[in-house]
Amino acid sequence: MHCRELPLALFVLMFISTSEACTSRFRITAVEGEPFYLKYCSSLPEHESGKSAVRWYKSSGSHGHVELSPSSSPRIALHGYALEFWPVELDDAGSYIFQRGNDTHNWKLNVTRRDKNSCFTKKLVVSRTVEVKQYLQVTCENRYYQNLVNRTSLYKSLPNHWDFYSTNDCKKIAENNKNPFIQKNAEFKDQGFYTCVSSLYHNGKLFNVTKTFNIAIAGDRNNINPVLFGPEVNHIEVELGKDVQLNCSALINDMDLVYWNVLKENGTNPNVYEEEGMRISTSEGKWHASKILRIENITENNLNFSYNCTVVSEGSVDTIRFILLKKEDMGDIPGHIFTRGMIISALVLVAVVCLVTMCVMYRVDLVLFYRHLIGRDETLTDGKIYDAFVSYLKECGPDHGEEHTFAVEILPRVLEKHFGYKLCIFERDVVPGGAVVDEIHSLIEKSRRLIIVLSENYMSNEVRYELESGLHEALVERKIKIILIEFTPVSNFTFLPQSLELLKSHRVLKWKSDQYLSYDSRFWKNLLYLMPAKKVKPERDEAEVLPVLSES
Ligand SMILES: *[C@@H]1O[C@H](CO)[C@@H](O)[C@H](O)[C@H]1NC(C)=O
Ligand SMILES: *[C@@H]1O[C@H](CO)[C@@H](O)[C@H](O)[C@H]1NC(C)=O
Ligand SMILES: *[C@@H]1O[C@H](CO)[C@@H](O)[C@H](O)[C@H]1NC(C)=O
Ligand SMILES: *[C@@H]1O[C@H](CO)[C@@H](O)[C@H](O)[C@H]1NC(C)=O
């Protein structure tokens, strides 16, 4: 430091120390109800100026100057170069004049109403702007009242962007007997109103002095190169007829621009809409900007077209592209639904197969049950007399007595007595004598079925006519159906007429004498199934158990 500068520096220091709390501005605003003072800024310390008296005047319009003394108001005190109000009120507003010898100074005081809803009065704030990341200090130091202050609290209110003047959410952030403060590197969240409330006692009475700073944080002035988020080319899978939103977002500087390059003039993009952009500030004073491009009711025209989004900054440009692709059809069905569908189909298939198998296996039972259920009777209108003509070996030799018994005793017992059919058994129903051949023919014509009890020995001259007549009726006239009962296993069917061979596989029942003991057995069910449907009342007086043939 040069010697010439020393006196100047000393003078500045001195000025600061003596005038630290003096009132240099001409227009002053105070808040009603708070302690307030006006202090003359003198270059000389107060104690050195004791020779000439200090006088204070208030100029109240037409009344001229009124000299102020402690006796003129209990709220006024004179303290060296200072005029103190305990507290200042609305009617204290006006011009004040300080006089000491030839020195005069005057101020214009305005007193504003207290804001009852808030911890501070919005008309009385000190605004400061701090750049982000720079040093931010808020201190409540109040040098003039320093020695009187009992306790000071620091409150913070967030700025309300929508209604600046409605801020009233005062939160106490620090409390200290003397001087609460904050010191930090500024961040955007530090923005807001900081209010110091100092409580002090004067003559045993409590007063509050408030001081409010409106701190604004300014963005970093060093620009970044803005970049768009995401890959340079984005392929988006879409479905025709649906809507899609393309989100273009970037980290940008205050003055940068993000926009979609979509031309609407020539009507190429009638279903494409650029939405309002969105900006969120970051703690570094930059912005997260995003802009949506909405494509409604996607058509083929929107596919394979390059939708470009650009960010422009002072020194750079960045572009990303979005291309819509048609979603594969397979993708239409979400995987789990597809799997579920397959499982359900398989189950249904299995159920159907089971049902069909059951129906095939129990076809006979189902048909019988169905006949019983609806009481079907196909014998009423055909004009026939017998339900079946029984054709069997009539020679009663020792080798084939069982066949005879079966045809003449067991069949009638079951079919006639138990199930109510009417059989025609030649031996029983035809009176001996007369024209046998004609008789047989007319009896077969009057029967609905021809039951042939078949064995190796069956083909004899006696039955030949029955058989041929029946086959004629069955195959040519189609008026009778033939039921073959294979009584003894027949290994060789060649002895039968070839036309009978045709029927063989369809209507052959195998009789096994030792197995068919009950009316419910499969043999009788199958026989009933082949017999015409008939509504009859079975005669239940017969024994339910059939005689075992081998015993008879
Ligand atoms: C502050 O006020 C309390 C209660 O009125 C008193 O006890 C205390 O001494 C005061 N402190 C100062 C520094 O004046
Ligand atoms: C002073 O401020 C305190 C809160 O810091 C408040 O409780 C008290 O009522 C205030 N007193 C006056 C006279 O304003
Ligand atoms: C767009 O993307 C940005 C950044 O990924 C995100 O903050 C914003 O919420 C998104 N906008 C919409 C509408 O999804
Ligand atoms: C988008 O960018 C690509 C490649 O830079 C360009 O070929 C295409 O024409 C652009 N599309 C639009 C609509 O500007």
Side-chain angles (χ1 to χ4, degrees):
M1 201 177 267
H2 293 283
C3 292
R4 253 188 334 136
E5 290 171 3
L6 192 61
L8 180 64
L10 278 175
F11 173 77
V12 170
L13 276 175
M14 215 166 59
F15 181 81
I16 289 171
S17 67
T18 54
S19 64
E20 55 190 358
C22 73
T23 316
S24 50
R25 282 168 299 140
F26 171 65
R27 284 178 189 280
I28 317 277
T29 304
V31 181
E32 61 163 329
E34 288 191 7
F36 178 75
Y37 68 92
L38 289 170
K39 186 175 179 187
Y40 175 63
C41 294
S42 168
S43 52
L44 296 174
E46 286 171 47
H47 53 88
E48 283 181 24
S49 61
K51 300 155 208 162
S52 24
V54 171
R55 289 172 185 276
W56 286 90
Y57 300 93
K58 183 182 182 188
S59 154
S60 40
S62 51
H63 297 290
H65 294 166
V66 178
E67 185 167 359
L68 299 171
S69 71
S71 59
S72 56
S73 166
R75 295 186 287 106
I76 286 177
L78 299 172
H79 237 277
Y81 289 166
L83 170 67
E84 295 178 348
F85 299 84
W86 295 96
V88 71
E89 294 297 354
L90 289 175
D91 54 10
D92 291 327
S95 289
Y96 288 86
I97 296 142
F98 166 89
Q99 189 183 47
R100 193 203 51 169
N102 289 334
D103 288 344
T104 58
H105 193 87
N106 86 65
W107 298 267
K108 196 157 171 62
L109 176 65
N110 178 28
V111 181
T112 181
R113 283 188 188 280
R114 160 175 307 280
D115 192 336
K116 300 248 166 33
N117 299 320
S118 180
C119 61
F120 64 99
T121 301
K122 273 135 200 162
K123 280 184 187 161
L124 210 63
V125 297
V126 180
S127 289
R128 276 168 55 195
T129 299
V130 179
E131 196 175 308
V132 73
K133 287 198 247 174
Q134 299 298 307
Y135 181 64
L136 166 69
Q137 184 181 31
V138 176
T139 167
C140 289
E141 192 170 51
N142 193 325
R143 289 192 194 155
Y144 188 81
Y145 296 113
Q146 198 162 295
N147 298 322
L148 302 170
V149 169
N150 184 300
R151 170 168 297 273
T152 303
S153 302
L154 179 58
Y155 296 84
K156 185 183 176 190
S157 318
L158 292 177
N160 187 331
H161 290 298
W162 294 276
D163 183 1
F164 184 84
Y165 288 106
S166 77
T167 313
N168 55 10
D169 56 333
C170 296
K171 281 206 184 72
K172 190 184 279 186
I173 56 168
E175 190 170 35
N176 196 302
N177 280 346
K178 281 295 171 203
N179 181 16
F181 59 87
I182 47 172
Q183 281 178 331
K184 67 193 298 277
N185 287 336
E187 291 176 75
F188 270 86
K189 64 181 171 62
D190 295 329
Q191 202 144 277
F193 295 94
Y194 292 83
T195 304
C196 302
V197 179
S198 303
S199 303
L200 45 91
Y201 286 93
H202 181 258
N203 294 339
K205 236 181 129 186
L206 177 75
F207 297 92
N208 284 342
V209 179
T210 64
K211 188 173 185 185
T212 301
F213 303 95
N214 177 15
I215 306 287
I217 309 292
D220 185 356
R221 286 190 209 107
N222 300 317
N223 277 355
I224 52 161
N225 272 350
V227 274
L228 292 163
F229 298 141
E232 207 179 321
V233 181
N234 300 270
H235 293 282
I236 313 276
E237 287 204 334
V238 293
E239 287 173 55
L240 295 183
K242 296 269 169 71
D243 301 349
V244 71
Q245 291 197 341
L246 306 179
N247 184 355
C248 176
S249 58
L251 184 65
I252 61 168
N253 301 299
D254 205 30
M255 301 299 285
D256 298 347
L257 279 179
V258 175
Y259 61 90
W260 285 94
N261 321 357
V262 182
L263 299 175
K264 294 216 104 178
E265 297 130 32
N266 47 8
T268 45
N269 294 302
N271 57 343
V272 177
Y273 306 93
E274 185 176 10
E275 297 199 338
E276 283 280 300
M278 232 179 58
R279 276 182 168 216
I280 300 166
S281 66
T282 69
S283 58
E284 272 79 47
K286 303 300 170 201
W287 299 88
H288 270 302
S290 62
K291 209 151 208 201
I292 301 286
L293 190 72
R294 192 158 40 85
I295 303 175
E296 290 183 349
N297 195 6
I298 297 164
T299 65
E300 292 279 352
N301 291 339
N302 301 119
L303 301 179
N304 303 315
F305 181 83
S306 186
Y307 292 95
N308 301 350
C309 177
T310 301
V311 59
V312 193
S313 173
E314 231 172 39
S316 70
V317 175
D318 189 26
T319 297
I320 58 172
R321 305 197 279 142
F322 291 79
I323 297 169
L324 305 188
L325 301 175
K326 196 169 166 184
K327 201 182 256 181
E328 291 302 316
D329 282 345
M330 223 0 239
D332 285 352
I333 305 170
H336 63 283
I337 293 178
F338 183 73
T339 318
R340 204 182 297 161
M342 288 294 279
I343 291 172
I344 290 173
S345 312
L347 287 179
V348 167
L349 196 69
V350 167
V352 166
V353 167
C354 285
L355 200 66
V356 168
T357 313
M358 296 272 286
C359 286
V360 170
M361 282 172 66
Y362 294 98
R363 177 193 39 163
V364 170
D365 301 69
L366 286 172
V367 168
L368 293 181
F369 176 71
Y370 176 72
R371 280 186 194 170
H372 177 74
L373 197 69
I374 67 164
R376 187 160 160 255
D377 194 332
E378 61 189 42
T379 67
L380 294 176
T381 54
D382 60 2
K384 295 190 175 184
I385 297 167
Y386 301 105
D387 291 308
F389 182 93
V390 183
S391 170
Y392 59 98
L393 181 67
K394 291 175 187 75
E395 287 157 35
C396 248
D399 299 337
H400 21 263
E402 286 184 0
E403 275 168 77
H404 192 263
T405 314
F406 176 75
V408 183
E409 289 179 23
I410 298 176
L411 268 187
R413 181 183 310 184
V414 176
L415 289 184
E416 291 191 322
K417 292 268 169 58
H418 189 75
F419 290 111
Y421 284 108
K422 190 169 184 205
L423 300 180
C424 176
I425 298 169
F426 189 83
E427 203 175 292
R428 182 188 76 183
D429 297 321
V430 180
V431 188
V436 173
V437 169
D438 288 349
E439 194 94 44
I440 287 175
H441 185 75
S442 81
L443 285 175
I444 287 180
E445 267 185 347
K446 287 175 189 156
S447 301
R448 300 182 180 97
R449 299 286 186 271
L450 172 63
I451 297 177
I452 298 173
V453 180
L454 198 61
S455 68
E456 299 268 9
N457 309 316
Y458 173 70
M459 278 312 282
S460 67
N461 280 335
E462 263 196 74
V463 299
R464 181 168 295 278
Y465 183 71
E466 287 173 20
L467 188 59
E468 279 172 1
S469 179
L471 285 176
H472 179 81
E473 284 282 300
L475 299 172
V476 181
E477 308 274 337
R478 293 191 180 277
K479 283 181 182 163
I480 194 167
K481 286 173 181 160
I482 294 178
I483 302 170
L484 285 176
I485 296 176
E486 205 179 303
F487 189 78
T488 54
V490 178
S491 54
N492 185 4
F493 277 89
T494 51
F495 64 91
L496 292 173
Q498 266 201 321
S499 51
L500 196 57
E501 193 93 331
L502 293 174
L503 298 168
K504 191 187 130 240
S505 58
H506 295 291
R507 293 168 176 260
V508 177
L509 301 177
K510 285 188 187 341
W511 169 261
K512 285 199 188 111
S513 57
D514 52 342
Q515 282 176 20
Y516 305 109
L517 299 178
S518 110
Y519 295 115
D520 274 339
S521 72
R522 193 121 299 272
F523 177 82
W524 294 121
K525 277 188 182 168
N526 287 346
L527 184 55
L528 286 183
Y529 169 69
L530 295 175
M531 289 296 283
K534 191 173 185 182
K535 207 169 152 188
V536 285
K537 264 199 193 140
E539 299 166 30
R540 284 278 170 187
D541 52 341
E542 283 290 306
E544 287 295 305
V545 177
L546 290 168
V548 177
L549 201 66
S550 54
E551 285 172 358
S552 63

